[in-house]
């Protein structure tokens, strides 16, 4: 998750804007029917996570963010969708240098929303600067060390982000964006919290963040992977439950034979309370005893008519 901010509000839409906007509308809108503003989505400066986009990545993101709707408060609910990006481009500022010594580049998006009664409060908040911050989420397929070029998604290297090596500051270089999945307005009082949301490149990272209690934003691909994992776990859990139920039944069955003085409902309660290892252990022991007391296989049943297997059946009363 990267952060940007609202740049300009209340620009009058010109014919070029209207042509682009009308690509996304069901009918042709007139300039007075739309409200437009621009936002800086991200730049090539090192952010507080010690990461930076390459200029190439920003250019690719420009294409990926086209048509994307911005949301408020990170809600993915459709009714909260507020504005749509209709134009997006990288702006280069040669007079300003990044910590890496590159010309400062930023990804600037133009967005519109219907100039409707429903959006009036939102527009007011934009104009007043309350909705100043935006955060963006995207995924990249390349994350490398700025010092040695090591792939940081798999293992990585010994360089530490933020440290300087031979006059070069170490950061993670984000490149080859694959998906731009959201941009949202962050109400300023909550910005520090909201800014914590990160973008993740792999399921391992997601699991790590989830276990650490972080706020997590997932790409469509990651959501699908997580759903798949959950389905798999549910399947496995159902096998596990079936196995346990069978084991409990067997335990009760054999224990009833081996120790008929214990009521079946007591055995069921005991079975339900045991952990799986204990249950396996008791089931095995009682199966052996039950088999001695009352041979359980059909052949032995027939044999029992003459003489119980083994001759001595200590649990047969
Ligand atoms: Zn390195």
């Amino acid at each position: 998750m990267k952060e940007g901010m609202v740049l300009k509000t209340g620009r009058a839409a010109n014919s070029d804007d209207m042509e682009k906007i009308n690509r996304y509308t069901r009918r042709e809108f007139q300039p007075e029917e739309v409200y437009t503003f621009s936002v800086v989505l991200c730049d090539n400066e090192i952010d507080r996570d010690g990461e930076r986009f390459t200029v190439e990545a920003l250019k690719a993101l420009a294409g990926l963010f086209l048509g994307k709707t911005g949301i408020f408060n990170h809600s993915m609910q459709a009714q909260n969708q507020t504005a749509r990006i209709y134009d997006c481009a990288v702006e280069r500022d040669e007079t300003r240098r990044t910590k890496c010594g590159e010309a400062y580049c930023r990804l600037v998006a133009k967005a519109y929303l219907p100039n409707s009664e429903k959006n009036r409060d939102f527009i007011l908040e934009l104009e007043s600067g309350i909705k100043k911050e935006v955060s963006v989420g995207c995924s990249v397929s390349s994350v490398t060390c700025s010092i040695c070029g090591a792939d940081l998604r798999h293992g990585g290297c010994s360089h530490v982000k933020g440290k300087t090596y031979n006059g070069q500051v170490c950061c993670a270089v984000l490149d080859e964006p694959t998906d731009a999945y959201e941009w949202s307005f962050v109400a300023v009082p909550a910005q520090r919290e909201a800014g914590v949301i990160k973008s993740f490149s792999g399921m391992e990272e997601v699991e790590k963040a989830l276990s650490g209690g972080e706020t997590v934003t997932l790409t469509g691909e990651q959501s699908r992977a997580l759903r798949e994992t959950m389905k798999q776990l549910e399947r496995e859990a159902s096998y596990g439950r079936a196995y346990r139920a069978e084991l409990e039944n067997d335990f009760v069955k054999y224990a009833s034979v081996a120790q008929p003085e214990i009521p079946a409902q007591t055995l069921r309660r005991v079975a339900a309370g045991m952990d799986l290892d204990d249950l396996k252990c008791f089931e095995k022991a009682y199966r052996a005893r039950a088999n001695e007391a009352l041979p359980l296989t059909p052949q032995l049943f027939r044999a029992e008519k003459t003489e119980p297997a083994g001759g001595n059946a200590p649990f047969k009363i």
Side-chain angles (χ1 to χ4, degrees):
M1 185 61 50
K2 302 299 171 196
E3 281 141 65
M5 62 185 297
V6 174
L7 195 61
K8 259 184 257 168
T9 56
R11 286 172 54 254
N14 59 32
S15 59
D16 180 49
D17 291 319
M18 291 318 297
E19 194 194 313
K20 285 170 178 161
I21 288 169
N22 280 321
R23 281 177 202 159
Y24 300 103
T25 56
R26 290 219 180 90
R27 62 168 176 86
E28 188 141 322
F29 273 65
Q30 298 305 311
E32 62 275 14
E33 291 180 286
V34 293
Y35 180 87
T36 68
F37 59 97
S38 34
V39 291
V40 177
L41 295 176
C42 48
D43 56 28
N44 63 336
E45 187 55 279
I46 301 172
D47 67 13
R48 65 164 173 241
D49 295 327
E51 299 177 337
R52 71 170 174 87
F53 287 109
T54 64
V55 177
E56 283 310 308
L58 293 179
K59 285 178 185 166
L61 283 171
L64 292 170
F65 270 112
L66 263 188
K68 292 275 150 57
T69 23
I71 47 182
F72 182 48
N73 277 349
H74 295 290
S75 167
M76 295 305 263
Q77 287 169 345
Q79 66 262 36
N80 287 328
Q81 288 183 344
T82 51
R84 190 190 293 275
I85 292 174
Y86 66 92
D87 200 3
C88 199
V90 176
E91 285 182 4
R92 192 178 174 90
D93 183 353
E94 293 290 348
T95 65
R96 191 176 154 190
R97 296 276 136 183
T98 66
K99 285 179 197 135
C100 290
E102 281 185 324
Y104 178 76
C105 293
R106 60 187 190 179
L107 183 60
V108 179
K110 290 180 192 168
Y112 76 92
L113 65 159
N115 202 356
S116 65
E117 190 58 33
K118 196 176 102 256
N119 287 328
R120 216 187 50 184
D121 287 350
F122 179 77
I123 290 169
L124 204 66
E125 286 176 48
L126 271 177
E127 303 249 282
S128 66
I130 290 172
K131 278 186 177 50
K132 201 161 66 93
E133 315 276 320
V134 296
S135 65
V136 300
C138 59
S139 52
V140 295
S141 62
S142 168
V143 184
T144 54
C145 171
S146 65
I147 305 297
C148 69
D151 185 349
L152 296 182
R153 291 173 314 149
H154 305 106
C157 60
S158 58
H159 294 117
V160 180
K161 281 192 257 181
K163 276 199 172 178
T164 303
Y165 300 88
N166 292 326
Q168 229 195 320
V169 63
C170 176
C171 66
V173 182
L174 309 179
D175 205 359
E176 294 169 26
T178 52
D179 196 11
Y181 50 92
E182 80 165 5
W183 63 287
S184 11
F185 291 94
V186 183
V188 171
Q191 64 174 297
R192 289 296 154 245
E193 276 302 303
V196 173
I197 294 175
K198 286 182 65 84
S199 90
F200 300 92
S201 54
M203 284 311 293
E204 275 171 40
E205 277 180 72
V206 172
E207 280 170 25
K208 216 164 84 184
L210 285 171
S211 62
E214 278 185 50
T215 305
V216 175
T217 303
L218 301 178
T219 62
E221 197 186 317
Q222 287 165 342
S223 304
R224 277 189 292 280
L226 194 58
R227 265 202 308 279
E228 210 33 66
T229 307
M230 284 166 72
K231 265 194 233 156
Q232 180 66 24
L233 288 173
E234 274 165 27
R235 269 197 298 274
E236 284 169 13
S238 75
Y239 301 152
R241 278 192 297 273
Y243 172 67
R244 176 162 182 126
E246 205 184 313
L247 207 57
E248 282 183 26
N249 279 337
D250 286 349
F251 163 82
V252 172
K253 184 170 75 190
Y254 297 139
S256 313
V257 173
Q259 296 195 294
E261 68 277 19
I262 304 175
Q265 70 209 58
T266 305
L267 289 170
R268 290 210 172 276
R269 254 197 321 274
V270 169
M274 270 193 275
D275 75 22
L276 196 64
D277 283 339
D278 291 346
L279 190 57
K280 263 154 71 179
C281 177
F282 275 98
E283 188 269 345
K284 193 180 165 197
Y286 277 123
R287 177 154 35 99
R289 284 185 172 197
N291 211 19
E292 283 174 39
L294 179 72
L296 298 159
T297 59
Q299 280 130 323
L300 290 176
F301 256 118
R302 281 196 295 277
E304 195 207 17
K305 279 178 184 162
T306 52
E307 186 66 32
N312 58 338
F315 293 97
K316 196 180 178 190
I317 301 160

